[in-house]
Amino acid sequence: MLDVGTGECEYPTWFDWIPRKVLVDQRHVPPVPDAVCVKSDFMAYRTKERFDLVTCLQVLEHLEDPRSMALRLLQHGRTVVVSAPYMWPEGFCKYHVQDPVSEKKLLSWFPCAPRKTVKVTEPGSTIVRLIAVFPGYVR
């Protein structure tokens, strides 16, 4: 498993059945047992390794060029799972340069069709996340 943009999140610990995890973040990678933690910009990170699963959750909306990141994610995993805040109004989060992110907009960042998309409302909240699962290994 490769997780890109882990930040302060604990979700990589949820995948305890996955024997090899690599976590890449340019600012902070939390210590995760049995994981390789790499502090690096993913676009500059070099590896020839290919992963069964690549996750990139709540990252693409922060990027000026999400298409380049999307292609790079697809090159590194058999299955790629991404998420983004769904239809947050522009300016709602000062760090999001892509808001609002519709399903059409998120899919336009990828050169292939997703296997599945789903909108999920956070429990006890009105915040909606868009999750998309893509086939990887695009060259």
Side-chain angles (χ1 to χ4, degrees), residues 15-122:
F15 299 96
D16 58 354
W17 71 92
I18 296 177
R20 177 161 166 71
K21 291 182 278 297
V22 176
L23 315 178
V24 178
D25 192 288
Q26 65 184 2
R27 285 183 284 250
H28 176 76
V29 181
V32 173
D34 301 320
V36 175
C37 300
V38 180
K39 186 175 179 181
S40 174
D41 178 338
F42 181 63
M43 297 304 286
Y45 176 65
R46 298 291 173 240
T47 183
K48 293 182 182 198
E49 188 170 7
R50 299 296 177 256
F51 298 85
D52 291 328
L53 175 64
V54 174
T55 55
C56 184
L57 309 178
Q58 306 303 121
V59 173
L60 296 174
E61 68 276 6
H62 294 267
L63 306 177
E64 291 290 339
D65 181 14
R67 285 181 185 91
S68 293
M69 173 71 90
L71 182 59
R72 188 144 168 77
L73 293 167
L74 294 173
Q75 291 170 343
H76 286 283
R78 183 178 317 164
T79 299
V80 176
V81 179
V82 299
S83 70
Y86 179 69
M87 296 304 292
W88 287 20
E90 184 176 349
F92 183 72
C93 178
K94 67 180 180 179
Y95 303 108
H96 293 182
V97 297
Q98 296 295 332
D99 284 344
V101 178
S102 65
E103 186 169 349
K104 181 179 179 180
K105 185 176 198 177
L106 185 137
L107 298 182
S108 76
W109 299 335
F110 289 83
C112 57
R115 290 182 180 143
K116 176 83 173 169
T117 61
V118 64
K119 296 173 193 91
V120 177
T121 302
E122 289 187 11

